[in-house]
């Protein structure tokens, strides 16, 4: 496949040429191959030799397993399972975690919420690093049929499966927390929650195969990565919380710098893959949780048990009605905040970035436009049209 197919620029057009630009974007989308499927020359040219060599060793495995994943999908296909797996795949998306994670904090489970943020953010960041490092494609379609509610799946590399990483890490950590409660929880309830957790992980992992989004190699390595991240959180999570909450302001600065370093070392992909966007988004969540919890623990409004920065919450005092109303109001505020802040930040951050860039503090990325360049384009009356 020629590397020139679907070559796509971040389109620059004079005012009044929007219709022509839209048509050009649609043509580029229609002809652009999925991430990881350009010519070998493309990846040999774009990747460092060691990354290209690793990719070439793994590509035959991806091709070999595609046949067996297609047979599995063909044997299982049904309209009911199509709907089930495409819908439940949303339980591993950013939108689901954006709703689910704050509820843990609001309901007083700060220790569980912090642990979940740590493993999920780490899962997205480290799986994204591996994806953009190796640039391996998803299983071929055809013979597989892609079943997804997302329109951006073809933009992302396949190895490893971030869904599998997140699902396994959540389950390992959740089961660890359940078992650490000992006699504090009803045995029947504990067993039911454990079974539910195992079903969640199994459904997500099997769903990635069924929907043709990943191969066996993707989900196995993704699951191993998720288990390792959860084990690290189980072993060292409490020690990290002690380090953060009982340290000075410099402690939170150190944590912030470590997260920013992980963003900075994220490898450049050979294609315009959204993994870096996802990593930056979850890195922002992690920074917010660490700095926010550190500050909240010092306000006097938070409880210190079971961990500092615990939101005061007692179900028997608040009651179910007020609890549900509290959660619903919180979710509405989250979506309203996102809708307000996204356009506001798009307007006010570029001038700030231009100031930062003037000091030489830039984060050059191949598929992103620097703020100063955007400023020059706007000054010339040129319009930028995003392709996502």
């Amino acid at each position: 496949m020629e590397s020139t197919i679907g070559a796509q620029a971040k389109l620059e057009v004079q005012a009044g040429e929007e219709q022509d630009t839209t048509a050009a974007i649609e043509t580029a989308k229609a002809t652009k191959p999925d991430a990881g499927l350009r010519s070998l020359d493309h990846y040999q040219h774009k990747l460092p030799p060691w990354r290209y060599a690793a990719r070439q060793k793994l590509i035959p495995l991806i091709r070999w397993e595609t046949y067996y994943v297609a047979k599995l999908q063909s044997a299982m296909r049904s309209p009911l399972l199509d709907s089930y797996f495409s819908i439940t795949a949303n339980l591993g998306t950013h939108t689901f975690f954006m709703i689910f994670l704050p509820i843990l904090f609001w309901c007083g489970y700060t220790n569980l919420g912090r642990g979940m943020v740590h493993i999920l953010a780490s899962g997205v960041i480290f799986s994204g690093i591996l994806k953009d490092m190796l640039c391996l494609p998803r299983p071929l379609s055809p013979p597989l049929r892609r079943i997804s509610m997302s329109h951006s799946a073809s933009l992302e590399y396949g190895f490893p499966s971030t869904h599998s990483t997140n699902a396994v890490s959540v389950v390992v950590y959740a089961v660890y927390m359940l078992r650490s409660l000992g006699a504090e929880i009803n045995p029947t309830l504990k067993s039911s929650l454990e079974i539910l957790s195992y079903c969640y992980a199994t459904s997500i992992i099997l769903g990635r195969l069924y929907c043709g989004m990943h191969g066996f190699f993707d989900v196995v390595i993704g699951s191993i990565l998720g288990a390792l991240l959860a084990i690290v959180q189980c072993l060292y999570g409490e020690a990290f919380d002690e380090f953060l909450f009982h340290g000075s302001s410099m402690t939170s600065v150190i944590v912030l710098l470590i997260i920013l370093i992980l963003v900075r070392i994220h490898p450049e992909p050979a294609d315009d893959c959204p993994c870096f966007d996802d990593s930056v988004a979850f890195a922002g969540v992690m920074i917010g949780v660490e700095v926010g919890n550190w500050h909240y623990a010092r306000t006097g409004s938070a409880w210190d048990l079971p961990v500092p920065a615990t939101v005061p919450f007692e179900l028997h005092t608040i009651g179910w009605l007020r609890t549900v109303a509290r959660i619903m109001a919180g979710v509405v505020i989250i979506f309203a905040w996102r809708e307000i802040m996204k356009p506001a930040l798009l307007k006010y951050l570029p001038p700030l970035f231009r100031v930062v860039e003037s000091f030489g503090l830039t984060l050059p990325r191949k598929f992103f436009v620097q703020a100063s360049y955007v400023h020059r384009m706007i000054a010339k009356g040129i319009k930028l049209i995003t392709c996502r």
Side-chain angles (χ1 to χ4, degrees):
M1 187 179 296
E2 295 294 334
S3 62
T4 57
I5 294 179
Q8 181 177 4
K10 303 294 184 181
L11 297 172
E12 306 171 9
V13 294
Q14 299 293 337
E17 295 181 353
E18 288 89 347
Q19 291 183 351
D20 292 341
T21 303
T22 302
I25 291 174
E26 293 303 319
T27 301
K29 286 182 177 179
T31 58
K32 183 179 179 181
D34 291 355
L37 290 180
R38 291 180 182 269
S39 68
L40 294 180
D41 289 342
H42 172 79
Y43 296 100
Q44 189 171 21
H45 174 69
K46 297 289 185 181
L47 299 178
W50 68 272
R51 286 171 58 187
Y52 177 73
R55 182 181 187 275
Q56 289 304 103
K57 289 183 180 298
L58 293 172
I59 281 289
L61 176 60
I62 304 297
R63 297 287 179 259
W64 172 81
E65 69 176 0
T66 296
Y67 169 76
Y68 297 99
V69 179
K71 286 191 68 174
L72 174 67
Q73 184 188 61
S74 178
M76 293 180 63
R77 280 293 299 275
S78 74
L80 177 62
L81 289 178
D82 283 5
S83 299
Y84 171 77
F85 283 120
S86 62
I87 292 172
T88 54
N90 293 311
L91 298 178
T93 61
H94 292 179
T95 302
F96 171 74
F97 294 127
M98 184 182 71
I99 297 171
F100 171 70
L101 290 175
I103 294 175
L104 295 176
F105 291 90
W106 299 335
C107 294
Y109 296 102
T110 298
N111 56 336
L112 179 60
R114 285 179 54 78
M116 289 293 183
V117 169
H118 292 162
I119 58 177
L120 290 169
S122 301
V124 170
I125 291 171
F126 285 110
S127 66
I129 287 174
L130 287 174
K131 283 185 176 183
D132 283 352
M133 182 184 294
L134 297 173
C135 304
L136 291 170
R138 296 182 184 275
L140 291 175
S141 173
L144 281 161
R145 168 77 182 275
R146 296 270 171 80
I147 305 168
S148 175
M149 297 178 67
S150 171
H151 299 294
S152 61
S154 63
L155 299 175
E156 191 172 333
Y157 299 119
F159 171 83
S161 167
T162 304
H163 273 75
S164 301
T165 299
N166 287 343
V168 171
S169 64
V170 164
V171 169
V172 171
Y173 185 62
V175 170
Y176 168 80
M177 293 295 288
L178 282 171
R179 295 186 177 182
S180 66
L181 293 174
E184 296 179 31
I185 185 173
N186 181 281
T188 303
L189 177 60
K190 182 174 75 171
S191 298
S192 300
L193 291 175
E194 283 192 24
I195 293 172
L196 184 63
S197 298
Y198 297 139
C199 290
Y200 165 75
T202 302
S203 177
I204 293 295
I205 295 171
L206 181 60
R208 305 318 287 163
L209 298 170
Y210 178 92
C211 293
M213 305 305 293
H214 291 284
F216 301 112
F217 184 54
D218 302 339
V219 299
V220 168
I221 301 301
S223 298
I224 293 173
L225 175 61
L228 291 175
L229 293 172
I231 290 171
V232 170
Q233 173 62 30
C234 294
L235 294 177
Y236 302 107
E238 290 186 11
F240 175 75
D241 288 346
E242 286 286 327
F243 169 75
L244 179 68
F245 290 122
H246 295 94
S248 64
S249 58
M250 185 55 63
T251 303
S252 58
V253 172
I254 292 172
V255 173
L256 185 149
L257 289 175
I258 292 173
I259 297 172
L260 292 180
I261 288 172
L262 287 175
V263 172
R264 183 64 184 87
I265 65 174
H266 192 110
E268 285 276 10
D271 307 289
D272 190 3
C273 174
C275 294
F276 180 72
D277 309 54
D278 297 339
S279 296
V280 169
F282 240 127
V285 172
M286 200 169 182
I287 290 173
V289 166
E290 306 303 355
V291 177
N293 283 172
W294 178 86
H295 172 72
Y296 183 52
R298 285 160 170 73
T299 61
S301 301
W303 287 352
D304 290 329
L305 294 174
V307 294
T310 295
V311 176
F313 177 84
E314 290 180 331
L315 182 59
H316 67 272
T317 301
I318 297 178
W320 278 104
L321 183 61
R322 290 176 62 188
T323 298
V324 172
R326 192 165 172 250
I327 291 173
M328 292 179 65
V331 171
V332 170
I333 290 172
I334 287 174
F335 279 97
W337 179 259
R338 186 174 71 164
E339 292 304 312
I340 293 170
M341 291 307 298
K342 286 180 74 172
L345 292 175
L346 285 172
K347 180 178 180 180
Y348 294 111
L349 280 182
L352 174 61
F353 290 158
R354 286 194 290 274
V355 174
V356 173
E357 190 178 338
S358 67
F359 291 97
L361 301 174
T362 61
L363 181 62
R365 299 293 296 184
K366 190 181 303 180
F367 297 101
F368 291 81
V369 178
Q370 294 293 326
S372 59
Y373 183 63
V374 174
H375 179 64
R376 292 196 296 269
M377 294 175 67
I378 294 174
K380 294 178 181 179
I382 298 175
K383 184 184 289 291
L384 278 178
I385 298 180
T386 58
C387 298
R388 294 190 195 130

